[in-house]
Amino acid sequence: MALADLTGAEDMAAALRKLQDEWGPVAPVDLEPGVPGWLVLGHAEVMAVMRTESVFARDPRHWREQLPPESNLHAILSPTGRRNLYFADGVEHRRLRLPVDEAFSSMDEVRTAALVRGVCDGLIDAFATRGNADLIGEYAAAVSFLAVSGMFGFDEGQGFALLRCAMEIFGHGGDPVVALETMDRIVLDHVAATRAQPGQNLTARFIEHPAFEDDIEIGHTMVVAICAANEMLITWIAATLRRMLTDPRYTGRVTGVRRGLDDAMDETLWREPPVANLPARYAVTDCTLGQAHIKAGDAIVMGVAAANNDPRVRTADELFEAGNQSHLSFGVGPHACPAKRPGRLLVKIAVESLMKRLDLRLTDPEVTWAPSPWSRYPATLPVAFTPERTAARTPARV
Ligand code: HEM
């Protein structure tokens, strides 16, 4: 079974359950046809992998596999010469992680919220008078990218160029290796421009930080942050919007004492995690995980979607998900997402801005998925609404 067959399945939860019934909490899979790896399906086992970097390392130099040159997995699994937190372990990871943690934890949330609201309003203005829209292509994808690139001080044109690269790096068409090179160039030019003229943004914070040794480390870290954010945010926004528009417990409800937007966002993190199959760790030594005998050099993918649905942690309680943070959708351990707060803020504003302004109705409840080996979101989310007579133009930046 290849990962993309799971994310592409009509009923992904059923496909994952079938795999678990056959193999238990750790199953052999193909990362792409002909490239073997393990998919960890149990909640406890995924946590063990995420927390034990001495055995399950992030550095791809521990991987035995040589990918064929035409493989689409290079950019995510074994890029050469990347100097950032994502592909580092231990002391080196902590050094590269420090500026990221400090930048996100000291972000001005009022300013960030204003930036995100401006981006959302500007995008809604573009279709508000039309009476219909595709909430993926015209909204979720663009909001995620423009908001995050805006936090780093990129302008709208650069934001869209980066968005195209990120889609390709995550396996949605094109050539991921060329896309990574293009993104590096755009980001490094921006680092140089920010050095010449610093502003109040995350790029300027990174430049000031003494832990980075040079601009390459800053640029490579920004690329990871932008790519990590993009796929996760699109998927979380798309799934929450779909829940709000189709689930009778939420329909038409943005705020309220019961079953509001926060609940829909939590439920989505549990049931449709933004990254279904999280890449990757590499076994440093032979070991046993669940019932599987892992060999040093094996690749291990963390099945977040399966783990969140593990019957050993889930109950049938109707309110199980609301406010419950023990899902693995943000990761745990040293590589856990450093941007949970801004991520949540962004998704909430993106969904709220739309639903408060337009009386959305989904025009086609059938979903076609845009799958990659790692995640999936609906290819389109077509809606109709009462058109606005004139759209108020709001500046997309603060
Ligand atoms: C502002 C938006 C976001 C930014 C800038 C961001 C940034 C990052 C960065 C830099 C990492 C790498 C951390 C490391 O290797 O030490 C990361 C990891 C991760 N992020 Fe985020 N992220 C964002 C939003 C999200 C969202 C919305 C989710 C999902 C709900 C998410 C889930 C994850 C996960 C699962 C990991 C990997 C954990 C692991 O490998 O163990 N992120 N993120």
Side-chain angles (χ1 to χ4, degrees), residues 147-218:
V148 174
S149 57
M151 290 176 197
F152 281 97
F154 290 98
D155 64 29
E156 210 172 281
Q158 291 168 316
F160 278 117
L162 292 168
L163 170 60
R164 280 191 293 278
C165 298
M167 297 285 205
E168 293 180 9
I169 290 169
F170 240 80
H172 299 289
D175 181 334
V177 172
V178 174
L180 186 59
E181 284 164 11
T182 310
M183 194 179 234
D184 274 346
R185 208 174 43 248
I186 299 171
V187 167
L188 283 169
D189 286 350
H190 180 64
V191 172
T194 309
R195 241 184 220 296
Q197 201 171 0
Q200 274 196 313
N201 56 52
L202 292 173
T203 308
R205 300 296 315 274
F206 283 4
I207 287 172
E208 283 161 12
H209 205 287
F212 283 126
E213 285 174 359
D214 54 33
D215 283 3
I216 301 289
E217 282 186 354
I218 296 175

Side-chain angles (χ1 to χ4, degrees), residues 6 15-24 27 29 39 41:
L6 291 168
L16 287 167
R17 254 193 321 274
K18 192 159 168 263
L19 203 60
Q20 195 152 14
D21 288 346
E22 188 178 351
W23 294 100
V29 286
L39 181 64
L41 302 155

Side-chain angles (χ1 to χ4, degrees), residues 58 85 93 97 104 229 232 274 278 281 329-330 335 337 339:
R58 238 322 171 39
L85 72 175
H93 172 260
R97 169 90 183 204
F104 282 121
M232 315 284 187
L278 181 67
R281 304 292 199 268
S329 299
F330 284 109
H335 288 275
C337 181

